[in-house]
């Protein structure tokens, strides 16, 4: 079943400690490295990249600058890196959306093989949230209302083809529901409408959704992880609530333009692993409900190809038309 495949991929790659990278270029870098984040400031990709960049700078001996380049459902920043010089000085930090958009866009302006992977950063489950003052106290309440009102309830997302939209759509299909999709330009602009009850639900990354759940402005109905989260022990998994074998994670990673020299890729991978091995960052990520991911570049490239193929099948199964 498709819903199992992403979990099996993570089980085989994501949390394995792997061997040290091969020897890196002795002359790289000789100037600052720039990481372009293809989303706006304040989200999971942006915040985690800034933490990683600081640690990578220690290892590389050069400043690592983070620049936000949002827009076009992440396409503007992604295309910019595709066309950047393949010298290791301009990188892309992105969520897994980078492997989804070629399946949902008629002209995304790139394919995943236009990049070479440096490595993943982390993975994080999603929270299914609704208004903290709304009528849905449990997932059962939500499903019952949606089942008796097909097409009348709604779910928000950060846009067609984003990881949050696909996660929600997979749940809706497996639960046998009919909800109206309302896409926004990112999850951030959608959250106020969910809080106000103008949209019934959204799937939100734990790191950005949990503070509002704890403050009471949002209510978490379920989490997409395989087990409950220690920081939200009262929030059940979707599996617990009858969505059989369901697990779904948002992941983030770092890419370079295709053609970047392998010794430079190795040097960058070494710096990324140095950052991810930091006890300080590991504790920070885990406190935010995320798990650091460790892969060598060759394995990350295999993972990217598998993800792209997986989402081609998922998009077809969900009946999402290319835009």
């Amino acid at each position: 079943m498709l819903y199992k495949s992403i979990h099996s991929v993570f089980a085989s790659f994501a949390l394995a400690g792997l061997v040290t990278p091969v020897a890196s270029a002795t002359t790289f870098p000789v100037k600052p490295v720039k990481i372009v984040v293809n989303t706006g400031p304040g989200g999971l990709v942006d915040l985690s990249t800034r933490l990683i960049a600081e640690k990578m700078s220690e290892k590389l001996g050069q400043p690592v600058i983070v620049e936000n380049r949002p827009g076009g459902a992440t396409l503007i920043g992604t295309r910019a890196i595709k066309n950047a010089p393949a010298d290791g000085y301009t990188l892309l930090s992105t969520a897994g959306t980078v492997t989804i958009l070629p399946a949902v866009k008629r002209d995304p302006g790139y394919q995943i093989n236009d990049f070479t992977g440096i490595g993943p950063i982390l993975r994080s489950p999603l929270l299914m949230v609704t208004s903290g003052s709304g009528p849905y106290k449990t997932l059962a309440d939500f499903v019952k209302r949606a089942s008796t009102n097909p097409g009348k309830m709604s779910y928000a997302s950060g846009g067609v083809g984003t990881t949050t939209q696909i996660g929600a759509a997979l749940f809706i299909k497996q639960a046998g529901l009919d909800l109206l999709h309302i896409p926004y330009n990112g999850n951030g602009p959608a959250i106020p409408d969910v809080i106000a009850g103008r949209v019934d639900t959204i799937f939100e990354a734990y790191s950005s959704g949990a503070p509002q759940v704890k403050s009471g402005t949002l209510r978490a109905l379920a989490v997409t992880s395989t087990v409950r989260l220690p920081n939200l022990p009262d929030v059940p998994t979707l599996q617990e609530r009858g969505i059989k074998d369901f697990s779904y994670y948002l992941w983030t990673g770092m890419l370079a333009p295709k053609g970047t020299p392998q010794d430079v890729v190795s040097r960058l991978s070494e710096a990324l692993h140095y950052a991810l091995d930091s006890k300080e960052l590991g504790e920070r990520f885990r406190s935010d409900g995320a798990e650091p991911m460790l892969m060598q570049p060759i394995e990350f490239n295999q993972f990217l190809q598998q993800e792209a193929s997986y989402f081609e099948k998922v998009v077809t199964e969900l009946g999402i038309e290319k835009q």
Side-chain angles (χ1 to χ4, degrees), residues 29-152:
V30 297
K31 63 180 181 179
V33 173
K34 180 169 68 176
I35 304 175
V36 170
V37 175
N38 58 9
T39 60
L44 176 65
V45 180
D46 176 65
L47 294 175
S48 60
T49 302
R50 292 182 185 278
L51 292 171
I52 286 291
E54 186 176 348
K55 285 293 182 180
M56 287 181 68
S57 178
E58 294 178 8
K59 185 67 174 177
L60 293 172
Q62 289 285 346
V64 178
I65 302 162
V66 178
E67 175 186 312
N68 295 92
R69 202 173 298 184
T74 73
L75 289 177
I76 291 177
T78 303
R79 289 169 177 168
I81 302 309
K82 172 195 168 183
N83 296 318
D87 56 10
Y89 288 101
T90 308
L91 310 175
L92 174 68
S93 186
T94 179
T97 300
V98 73
T99 60
I100 302 174
L101 290 184
V104 300
K105 298 290 186 181
R106 290 192 182 94
D107 184 20
Y110 73 92
Q111 295 297 321
I112 199 62
N113 57 12
D114 288 322
F115 302 93
T116 186
I118 303 301
I121 297 174
L122 56 79
R123 72 170 188 170
S124 174
L126 302 179
L127 295 172
M128 180 183 176
V129 297
T130 188
S131 172
S133 59
Y136 315 115
K137 307 298 182 185
T138 66
L139 181 63
D141 293 339
F142 184 95
V143 170
K144 181 178 179 180
R145 177 76 176 273
S147 297
T148 55
N149 295 274
K152 295 183 179 179

Side-chain angles (χ1 to χ4, degrees), residues 7-21 119-123 269 273 276-277 286 291-297 299-300 303:
H7 177 61
S8 65
V9 170
F10 278 121
S12 62
F13 284 132
L15 306 179
L18 300 170
V19 297
T20 303
I121 297 174
L122 56 79
R123 72 170 188 170
S269 171
H273 281 212
L276 291 171
D277 283 337
R286 280 184 279 272
E291 304 170 30
M293 295 173 67
L294 288 172
M295 293 183 202
Q296 296 300 322
E299 288 152 328
F300 187 43
F303 172 78

